């Protein structure tokens, strides 16, 4: 089961693409998009599932379709709603990152019914969620029976000045990878990376990190840009300037997430 945000969903879809071609049509099925979406491979008695949980802990963004809300509220100490689905799973693959970079989140502790007032920003909020997640892993995962992975941050390519100083574009129309081996974009926050490392280190025997960040940094050419499905129609103004609506966050498939899965296969 993959658990996390749309980047992790991308990795899940990549996994389905890698697996499904060897399964005959009548031996496989997939449920509609839901908080938990399930692919079944009948002959293998196996499922490959994706759970939408962009903040890992419970939040008002847990609806897989309607989650673009003005105000985000999370329960920093509770993973229970999501974790009830994790119990039966043999292999869990988590991610979380970009949702913590969109402004403050309101905190609703589980002992409170309502009355939200505290707020936390970015890494601080993410650390609260990671701690709740780590507590669950600590008390529920037997490393001899289950495997748990945490996938590091997926880089974005929103500002071409970072790889080509003096330009004002983004990933739009990029056709080749970045060649500088040391390239690291400003969107990949190192303090967040260290925080994740610290949390996961304490769970060493239970969780492995899949570190995809550096290898994906190079792939400014790997995003869908204007070639994705858009849910709303674009304005004349946008159409006149394709850069303005290019998606430089998610990845094309086949593409970069296939390599993340190859790494995962090595751990399995
Ligand atoms: C399929 O998996 C379920 C749940 O783990 C198990 O109860 C069942 O016996 C399995 N069936 C076969 C044919 O392996
Ligand atoms: C991932 O790799 C980068 C460099 O490739 C390193 O700086 C970072 O500490 C690693 N992060 C984790 C969580 O292992």
């Amino acid at each position: 089961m993959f658990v996390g945000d749309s980047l992790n969903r991308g990795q899940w879809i990549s996994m389905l693409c890698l697996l499904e071609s060897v399964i005959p049509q009548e031996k496989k099925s997939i449920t509609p998009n839901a908080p938990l979406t399930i692919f079944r491979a009948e002959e293998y008695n196996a499922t490959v599932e994706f759970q939408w949980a962009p903040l890992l802990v419970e939040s008002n963004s847990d609806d897989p379709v309607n989650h673009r809300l003005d105000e985000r509220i999370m329960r920093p100490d509770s993973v229970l709603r999501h974790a009830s689905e994790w119990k039966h799973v043999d292999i869990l693959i988590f991610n979380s990152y970009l949702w913590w970079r969109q402004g403050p989140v309101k905190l609703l502790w589980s002992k409170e019914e309502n009355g939200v007032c505290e707020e936390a920003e970015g890494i601080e909020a993410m650390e609260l969620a990671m701690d709740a997640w780590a507590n669950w892993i600590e008390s529920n995962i037997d490393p001899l029976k289950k495997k748990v992975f945490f996938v590091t941050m997926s880089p974005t390519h929103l500002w071409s000045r970072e790889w080509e100083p003096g330009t004002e574009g983004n990933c739009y129309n990029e056709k080749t990878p970045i060649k500088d081996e040391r390239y690291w974009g400003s969107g990949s926050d190192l303090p967040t990376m260290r925080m994740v490392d610290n949390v996961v280190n304490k769970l060493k025997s239970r969780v492995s990190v899949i570190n995809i960040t550096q290898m994906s940094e190079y792939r400014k050419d790997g995003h869908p840009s204007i070639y994705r499905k858009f849910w709303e129609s674009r304005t004349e103004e946008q159409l006149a300037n394709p850069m303005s609506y290019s998606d430089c966050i998610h990845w094309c498939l086949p593409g970069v997430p296939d390599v993340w899965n190859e790494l995962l296969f090595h751990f399995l």
Side-chain angles (χ1 to χ4, degrees), residues 152 184 190 193-194 196-198 209 211-215:
T152 63
W184 186 274
L190 283 165
M193 181 73 101
R194 280 191 287 274
V196 166
D197 210 17
N198 286 338
V209 171
N211 196 339
I212 58 154
T213 310
Q214 182 72 69
M215 67 156 84

Side-chain angles (χ1 to χ4, degrees), residues 61-133:
S61 300
D62 286 343
D63 186 303
V65 181
N66 300 312
H67 47 247
R68 305 240 161 258
L69 309 168
D70 295 338
E71 173 182 80
R72 282 180 309 130
I73 305 173
M74 71 165 188
R75 289 193 178 272
D77 54 351
S78 179
V79 292
L80 291 182
R81 196 196 307 156
H82 299 142
S84 62
E85 309 279 5
W86 305 346
K87 290 216 152 124
H88 70 279
V89 175
D90 302 303
I91 303 165
L92 282 157
I93 301 124
F94 294 92
N95 93 324
S96 194
Y97 174 57
L98 279 180
W99 279 67
W100 303 105
R101 304 196 48 87
Q102 305 169 3
V105 192
K106 298 206 157 143
L107 310 180
L108 182 59
W109 298 91
S110 53
K111 58 180 188 300
E112 308 166 329
E113 263 316 300
N114 28 46
V116 191
C117 50
E118 256 181 288
E119 240 180 36
E121 187 94 40
I123 187 171
E124 212 183 300
M126 181 173 173
E127 194 166 8
L128 292 171
M130 290 292 293
D131 285 342
W133 169 82

Side-chain angles (χ1 to χ4, degrees), residues 23-64:
I23 305 169
Q25 199 59 43
E26 65 286 2
K27 303 287 186 195
K28 63 190 170 193
S29 63
I30 188 158
T31 62
N33 189 19
L36 185 66
T37 308
I38 303 172
F39 172 83
R40 288 198 167 76
E42 232 173 80
E43 284 174 318
Y44 296 86
N45 201 18
T47 61
V48 186
E49 311 183 10
F50 172 72
Q51 186 188 45
W52 173 255
L55 301 173
L56 295 178
V57 292
E58 292 178 32
S59 78
N60 66 347
S61 300
D62 286 343
D63 186 303

Side-chain angles (χ1 to χ4, degrees), residues 170 172 226 234-235 237-247:
N170 54 24
Y172 176 67
I226 61 171
R234 275 136 296 153
T235 61
E237 206 181 353
Q238 284 178 315
L239 290 170
N241 179 15
M243 209 162 50
S244 68
Y245 65 93
S246 283
D247 179 344

